[in-house]
Amino acid sequence: MRFFHISDLHIGKQLHRYSMRSEQEDILNKIVCAVKKEQPDAIAIAGDIYDKSVPSAEAVALFDHFLTVMKEQAPQVPLLIIAGNHDSAERLDYARELLTKNQVYISGMPPRTEGEYLKKVTLQDAYGAVNFYLMPFIKPFFVRSLLKESDTLTYDAAVRGVLAREQIDRTERNVILSHQFYVAGGSRPKTSESEIAVAGGIDEVDVSVLAPFDYAALGHIHRPQKIGKEQYRYCGTPLKYSVSEEHQAKSITCVELKEKGTEPVITQIGLEPLRELRSLRGTLSEVLSLATEENKDDFLSITLTDEIDPYQPKERLMEVYSHILEVRVDNARTRRILSEAVEELKLEDPVEVFAQFFENMQARPMSEAEKRVMTEIFAKAAEGEANG
Ligand SMILES: [Mn+2]
């Protein structure tokens, strides 16, 4: 059994002020070509189909086109799809009975009532059955009443609770599709700037929950990487969705499962974008002189290092480069401003900073008693600092 693992398509995404429609159409076509060429037994798409929970008509049309072309080019290949945190579960579930008849299996919502379970799709090969469990993005409140839990239910406990209800036959091969922030005993995956960060790490789920699975096809983190074990993998986005991803190689993850108990064989199929993303740094005249036929239409993040601010730098850059994402200035003056800003932040009252964080997390302000406790703690910490 050999299957493709992709995720985080973020269809409809804008990169700064540029639409990525042509880049996304191009990369989806390249994925279809790879499927036609390699003939995998299935395609797993681990969430964040769309960039927004209410995608634009254009975005919906593009995903529709992708499914249609995929079904024309590789009609026998099942598509397994879960919702991510960016998708609206209800919208993604639209027409799912009809799609199921065409071997497009979509799971938007986790189970919410007694009789409901994760969607399970079983495929066969020479070694027997492979069960794919489709676990869409879970927020604790989605499953709180199902698990008969209070409002203190954590992400970790929510995912654990949902999986504990499933009858997973450990003598067969099992694969899970999931879209959560997995950590391995406290070690976190390497993130990028295009993911939505949740402060305080409350969305973390430990990979120990994935123990029943021979492979975990994960989505959510945009840089391809394993987490904890070789077979627990984030495949990453098919395109670079932030400047922080400049040096990441994007790819389709290809997974080969043989008999139960053997390690899956994991390879990458590289994905080349229509338009590269890169950063350029130097004085205005240096950056202008770097322009070539090759790079002038790339997505660019430009940092100017002139000590004397040049005249109309943006306008002059735009005459040469067509897709400028941002122009930053890094010289003695801006560095001075930054270090002053850092000084200013340090002077803020730590109790107030914490109170803000507390309110964001708990959706209520701290009580006077709680504030007193925190004030004491910070005072003790400050004493400790003063004493050495
Ligand atoms: Mn994502």
PDB file of all heavy atoms in Angstrom, residues 7-10 47-51 84-86 179 194-196 219-222 237 241, ligand 1:
ATOM      1  N   SER A   7      -1.246  18.298   2.994  1.00  0.00           N
ATOM      2  CA  SER A   7      -2.110  19.031   3.930  1.00  0.00           C
ATOM      3  C   SER A   7      -1.944  20.529   3.714  1.00  0.00           C
ATOM      4  O   SER A   7      -1.105  20.959   2.921  1.00  0.00           O
ATOM      5  CB  SER A   7      -1.761  18.692   5.385  1.00  0.00           C
ATOM      6  OG  SER A   7      -0.594  19.386   5.780  1.00  0.00           O
ATOM      7  N   ASP A   8      -2.736  21.298   4.456  1.00  0.00           N
ATOM      8  CA  ASP A   8      -2.584  22.759   4.511  1.00  0.00           C
ATOM      9  C   ASP A   8      -2.485  23.409   3.124  1.00  0.00           C
ATOM     10  O   ASP A   8      -1.549  24.134   2.825  1.00  0.00           O
ATOM     11  CB  ASP A   8      -1.378  23.119   5.398  1.00  0.00           C
ATOM     12  CG  ASP A   8      -1.605  22.686   6.831  1.00  0.00           C
ATOM     13  OD1 ASP A   8      -2.146  23.480   7.611  1.00  0.00           O
ATOM     14  OD2 ASP A   8      -1.293  21.505   7.155  1.00  0.00           O
ATOM     15  N   LEU A   9      -3.477  23.103   2.307  1.00  0.00           N
ATOM     16  CA  LEU A   9      -3.523  23.708   0.971  1.00  0.00           C
ATOM     17  C   LEU A   9      -3.804  25.206   1.085  1.00  0.00           C
ATOM     18  O   LEU A   9      -3.324  26.002   0.301  1.00  0.00           O
ATOM     19  CB  LEU A   9      -4.608  23.039   0.120  1.00  0.00           C
ATOM     20  CG  LEU A   9      -4.604  21.503   0.081  1.00  0.00           C
ATOM     21  CD1 LEU A   9      -5.728  20.998  -0.812  1.00  0.00           C
ATOM     22  CD2 LEU A   9      -3.261  20.972  -0.421  1.00  0.00           C
ATOM     23  N   HIS A  10      -4.598  25.574   2.081  1.00  0.00           N
ATOM     24  CA  HIS A  10      -4.962  26.994   2.294  1.00  0.00           C
ATOM     25  C   HIS A  10      -5.419  27.671   1.005  1.00  0.00           C
ATOM     26  O   HIS A  10      -4.939  28.753   0.653  1.00  0.00           O
ATOM     27  CB  HIS A  10      -3.801  27.770   2.933  1.00  0.00           C
ATOM     28  CG  HIS A  10      -3.605  27.430   4.377  1.00  0.00           C
ATOM     29  ND1 HIS A  10      -4.233  28.120   5.387  1.00  0.00           N
ATOM     30  CD2 HIS A  10      -2.892  26.454   4.979  1.00  0.00           C
ATOM     31  CE1 HIS A  10      -3.897  27.575   6.551  1.00  0.00           C
ATOM     32  NE2 HIS A  10      -3.089  26.558   6.333  1.00  0.00           N
ATOM     33  N   GLY A  47      -6.204  18.296   6.344  1.00  0.00           N
ATOM     34  CA  GLY A  47      -6.821  19.519   6.879  1.00  0.00           C
ATOM     35  C   GLY A  47      -6.268  20.835   6.371  1.00  0.00           C
ATOM     36  O   GLY A  47      -5.220  20.884   5.745  1.00  0.00           O
ATOM     37  N   ASP A  48      -7.040  21.896   6.638  1.00  0.00           N
ATOM     38  CA  ASP A  48      -6.817  23.232   6.083  1.00  0.00           C
ATOM     39  C   ASP A  48      -6.845  23.193   4.547  1.00  0.00           C
ATOM     40  O   ASP A  48      -5.885  23.540   3.873  1.00  0.00           O
ATOM     41  CB  ASP A  48      -5.533  23.895   6.614  1.00  0.00           C
ATOM     42  CG  ASP A  48      -5.717  24.448   8.018  1.00  0.00           C
ATOM     43  OD1 ASP A  48      -6.855  24.404   8.537  1.00  0.00           O
ATOM     44  OD2 ASP A  48      -4.735  24.941   8.601  1.00  0.00           O
ATOM     45  N   ILE A  49      -7.993  22.760   4.052  1.00  0.00           N
ATOM     46  CA  ILE A  49      -8.249  22.801   2.618  1.00  0.00           C
ATOM     47  C   ILE A  49      -8.290  24.270   2.195  1.00  0.00           C
ATOM     48  O   ILE A  49      -7.625  24.688   1.266  1.00  0.00           O
ATOM     49  CB  ILE A  49      -9.620  22.145   2.296  1.00  0.00           C
ATOM     50  CG1 ILE A  49      -9.690  20.730   2.843  1.00  0.00           C
ATOM     51  CG2 ILE A  49      -9.910  22.213   0.787  1.00  0.00           C
ATOM     52  CD1 ILE A  49      -8.606  19.812   2.384  1.00  0.00           C
ATOM     53  N   TYR A  50      -9.104  25.019   2.943  1.00  0.00           N
ATOM     54  CA  TYR A  50      -9.265  26.447   2.643  1.00  0.00           C
ATOM     55  C   TYR A  50      -8.504  27.292   3.653  1.00  0.00           C
ATOM     56  O   TYR A  50      -8.205  26.846   4.764  1.00  0.00           O
ATOM     57  CB  TYR A  50     -10.750  26.822   2.696  1.00  0.00           C
ATOM     58  CG  TYR A  50     -11.584  26.163   1.637  1.00  0.00           C
ATOM     59  CD1 TYR A  50     -12.579  25.250   1.985  1.00  0.00           C
ATOM     60  CD2 TYR A  50     -11.381  26.454   0.292  1.00  0.00           C
ATOM     61  CE1 TYR A  50     -13.361  24.641   1.005  1.00  0.00           C
ATOM     62  CE2 TYR A  50     -12.148  25.846  -0.688  1.00  0.00           C
ATOM     63  CZ  TYR A  50     -13.139  24.944  -0.330  1.00  0.00           C
ATOM     64  OH  TYR A  50     -13.901  24.346  -1.302  1.00  0.00           O
ATOM     65  N   ASP A  51      -8.244  28.537   3.268  1.00  0.00           N
ATOM     66  CA  ASP A  51      -7.563  29.448   4.172  1.00  0.00           C
ATOM     67  C   ASP A  51      -8.536  30.097   5.155  1.00  0.00           C
ATOM     68  O   ASP A  51      -8.138  30.531   6.221  1.00  0.00           O
ATOM     69  CB  ASP A  51      -6.845  30.532   3.352  1.00  0.00           C
ATOM     70  CG  ASP A  51      -5.893  31.347   4.204  1.00  0.00           C
ATOM     71  OD1 ASP A  51      -5.050  30.717   4.879  1.00  0.00           O
ATOM     72  OD2 ASP A  51      -6.012  32.584   4.233  1.00  0.00           O
ATOM     73  N   GLY A  84      -9.426  21.114   8.853  1.00  0.00           N
ATOM     74  CA  GLY A  84      -8.422  21.686   9.748  1.00  0.00           C
ATOM     75  C   GLY A  84      -9.023  22.839  10.532  1.00  0.00           C
ATOM     76  O   GLY A  84     -10.227  23.112  10.420  1.00  0.00           O
ATOM     77  N   ASN A  85      -8.195  23.538  11.296  1.00  0.00           N
ATOM     78  CA  ASN A  85      -8.717  24.646  12.100  1.00  0.00           C
ATOM     79  C   ASN A  85      -9.168  25.825  11.248  1.00  0.00           C
ATOM     80  O   ASN A  85      -9.962  26.642  11.690  1.00  0.00           O
ATOM     81  CB  ASN A  85      -7.690  25.106  13.134  1.00  0.00           C
ATOM     82  CG  ASN A  85      -6.366  25.474  12.522  1.00  0.00           C
ATOM     83  OD1 ASN A  85      -5.835  24.743  11.688  1.00  0.00           O
ATOM     84  ND2 ASN A  85      -5.811  26.601  12.911  1.00  0.00           N
ATOM     85  N   HIS A  86      -8.675  25.911  10.009  1.00  0.00           N
ATOM     86  CA  HIS A  86      -9.099  27.011   9.139  1.00  0.00           C
ATOM     87  C   HIS A  86     -10.410  26.708   8.406  1.00  0.00           C
ATOM     88  O   HIS A  86     -11.026  27.608   7.864  1.00  0.00           O
ATOM     89  CB  HIS A  86      -8.017  27.316   8.081  1.00  0.00           C
ATOM     90  CG  HIS A  86      -6.863  28.084   8.615  1.00  0.00           C
ATOM     91  ND1 HIS A  86      -6.616  29.386   8.262  1.00  0.00           N
ATOM     92  CD2 HIS A  86      -5.903  27.743   9.503  1.00  0.00           C
ATOM     93  CE1 HIS A  86      -5.542  29.813   8.901  1.00  0.00           C
ATOM     94  NE2 HIS A  86      -5.084  28.828   9.652  1.00  0.00           N
ATOM     95  N   HIS A 179      -5.243  16.812  12.587  1.00  0.00           N
ATOM     96  CA  HIS A 179      -4.827  18.206  12.401  1.00  0.00           C
ATOM     97  C   HIS A 179      -4.772  18.893  13.766  1.00  0.00           C
ATOM     98  O   HIS A 179      -5.666  19.641  14.129  1.00  0.00           O
ATOM     99  CB  HIS A 179      -5.832  18.912  11.483  1.00  0.00           C
ATOM    100  CG  HIS A 179      -5.375  20.249  10.986  1.00  0.00           C
ATOM    101  ND1 HIS A 179      -4.811  20.437   9.743  1.00  0.00           N
ATOM    102  CD2 HIS A 179      -5.383  21.473  11.558  1.00  0.00           C
ATOM    103  CE1 HIS A 179      -4.513  21.702   9.568  1.00  0.00           C
ATOM    104  NE2 HIS A 179      -4.846  22.365  10.654  1.00  0.00           N
ATOM    105  N   SER A 194       3.263  31.354   9.116  1.00  0.00           N
ATOM    106  CA  SER A 194       1.955  31.306   8.471  1.00  0.00           C
ATOM    107  C   SER A 194       0.945  30.455   9.234  1.00  0.00           C
ATOM    108  O   SER A 194      -0.182  30.282   8.801  1.00  0.00           O
ATOM    109  CB  SER A 194       2.098  30.796   7.036  1.00  0.00           C
ATOM    110  OG  SER A 194       2.791  29.577   7.012  1.00  0.00           O
ATOM    111  N   GLU A 195       1.335  29.908  10.391  1.00  0.00           N
ATOM    112  CA  GLU A 195       0.359  29.179  11.194  1.00  0.00           C
ATOM    113  C   GLU A 195      -0.246  30.133  12.211  1.00  0.00           C
ATOM    114  O   GLU A 195       0.385  31.106  12.594  1.00  0.00           O
ATOM    115  CB  GLU A 195       1.039  28.036  11.965  1.00  0.00           C
ATOM    116  CG  GLU A 195       1.619  26.981  11.064  1.00  0.00           C
ATOM    117  CD  GLU A 195       3.069  26.682  11.418  1.00  0.00           C
ATOM    118  OE1 GLU A 195       3.572  27.273  12.380  1.00  0.00           O
ATOM    119  OE2 GLU A 195       3.679  25.887  10.691  1.00  0.00           O
ATOM    120  N   ILE A 196      -1.440  29.802  12.659  1.00  0.00           N
ATOM    121  CA  ILE A 196      -2.045  30.611  13.715  1.00  0.00           C
ATOM    122  C   ILE A 196      -1.552  30.070  15.054  1.00  0.00           C
ATOM    123  O   ILE A 196      -1.744  28.899  15.353  1.00  0.00           O
ATOM    124  CB  ILE A 196      -3.585  30.559  13.653  1.00  0.00           C
ATOM    125  CG1 ILE A 196      -4.059  31.309  12.403  1.00  0.00           C
ATOM    126  CG2 ILE A 196      -4.204  31.141  14.922  1.00  0.00           C
ATOM    127  CD1 ILE A 196      -5.558  31.367  12.260  1.00  0.00           C
ATOM    128  N   GLY A 219      -1.515  17.267   9.731  1.00  0.00           N
ATOM    129  CA  GLY A 219      -1.557  18.597   9.145  1.00  0.00           C
ATOM    130  C   GLY A 219      -1.539  19.614  10.265  1.00  0.00           C
ATOM    131  O   GLY A 219      -1.698  19.257  11.438  1.00  0.00           O
ATOM    132  N   HIS A 220      -1.317  20.879   9.932  1.00  0.00           N
ATOM    133  CA  HIS A 220      -1.370  22.008  10.869  1.00  0.00           C
ATOM    134  C   HIS A 220      -0.058  22.777  10.907  1.00  0.00           C
ATOM    135  O   HIS A 220      -0.040  23.991  10.904  1.00  0.00           O
ATOM    136  CB  HIS A 220      -1.724  21.557  12.295  1.00  0.00           C
ATOM    137  CG  HIS A 220      -2.135  22.693  13.207  1.00  0.00           C
ATOM    138  ND1 HIS A 220      -2.951  23.728  12.786  1.00  0.00           N
ATOM    139  CD2 HIS A 220      -1.849  22.961  14.513  1.00  0.00           C
ATOM    140  CE1 HIS A 220      -3.150  24.564  13.798  1.00  0.00           C
ATOM    141  NE2 HIS A 220      -2.485  24.130  14.848  1.00  0.00           N
ATOM    142  N   ILE A 221       1.073  22.035  10.949  1.00  0.00           N
ATOM    143  CA  ILE A 221       2.376  22.689  10.995  1.00  0.00           C
ATOM    144  C   ILE A 221       2.884  22.773   9.554  1.00  0.00           C
ATOM    145  O   ILE A 221       2.821  21.794   8.820  1.00  0.00           O
ATOM    146  CB  ILE A 221       3.356  21.887  11.880  1.00  0.00           C
ATOM    147  CG1 ILE A 221       2.770  21.713  13.294  1.00  0.00           C
ATOM    148  CG2 ILE A 221       4.722  22.552  11.932  1.00  0.00           C
ATOM    149  CD1 ILE A 221       2.504  22.992  14.046  1.00  0.00           C
ATOM    150  N   HIS A 222       3.382  23.949   9.176  1.00  0.00           N
ATOM    151  CA  HIS A 222       3.623  24.184   7.750  1.00  0.00           C
ATOM    152  C   HIS A 222       4.988  23.741   7.241  1.00  0.00           C
ATOM    153  O   HIS A 222       5.265  23.766   6.055  1.00  0.00           O
ATOM    154  CB  HIS A 222       3.354  25.660   7.437  1.00  0.00           C
ATOM    155  CG  HIS A 222       1.894  26.000   7.533  1.00  0.00           C
ATOM    156  ND1 HIS A 222       1.396  27.251   7.302  1.00  0.00           N
ATOM    157  CD2 HIS A 222       0.822  25.216   7.824  1.00  0.00           C
ATOM    158  CE1 HIS A 222       0.069  27.230   7.454  1.00  0.00           C
ATOM    159  NE2 HIS A 222      -0.293  26.007   7.777  1.00  0.00           N
ATOM    160  N   THR A 237       3.041  22.473   4.008  1.00  0.00           N
ATOM    161  CA  THR A 237       2.225  23.077   2.949  1.00  0.00           C
ATOM    162  C   THR A 237       2.823  22.764   1.572  1.00  0.00           C
ATOM    163  O   THR A 237       4.035  22.554   1.462  1.00  0.00           O
ATOM    164  CB  THR A 237       2.213  24.611   3.099  1.00  0.00           C
ATOM    165  OG1 THR A 237       3.571  25.053   3.230  1.00  0.00           O
ATOM    166  CG2 THR A 237       1.444  25.058   4.319  1.00  0.00           C
ATOM    167  N   TYR A 241       4.071  29.848   2.376  1.00  0.00           N
ATOM    168  CA  TYR A 241       3.016  30.798   2.707  1.00  0.00           C
ATOM    169  C   TYR A 241       3.478  31.923   3.619  1.00  0.00           C
ATOM    170  O   TYR A 241       2.658  32.689   4.131  1.00  0.00           O
ATOM    171  CB  TYR A 241       1.822  30.056   3.316  1.00  0.00           C
ATOM    172  CG  TYR A 241       1.001  29.302   2.281  1.00  0.00           C
ATOM    173  CD1 TYR A 241       0.421  28.074   2.569  1.00  0.00           C
ATOM    174  CD2 TYR A 241       0.807  29.837   1.005  1.00  0.00           C
ATOM    175  CE1 TYR A 241      -0.337  27.391   1.620  1.00  0.00           C
ATOM    176  CE2 TYR A 241       0.058  29.163   0.053  1.00  0.00           C
ATOM    177  CZ  TYR A 241      -0.512  27.945   0.366  1.00  0.00           C
ATOM    178  OH  TYR A 241      -1.254  27.279  -0.580  1.00  0.00           O
TER     179      TYR A 241
HETATM  180 MN    MN B   1      -2.619  25.365   8.180  1.00  0.00          MN
END
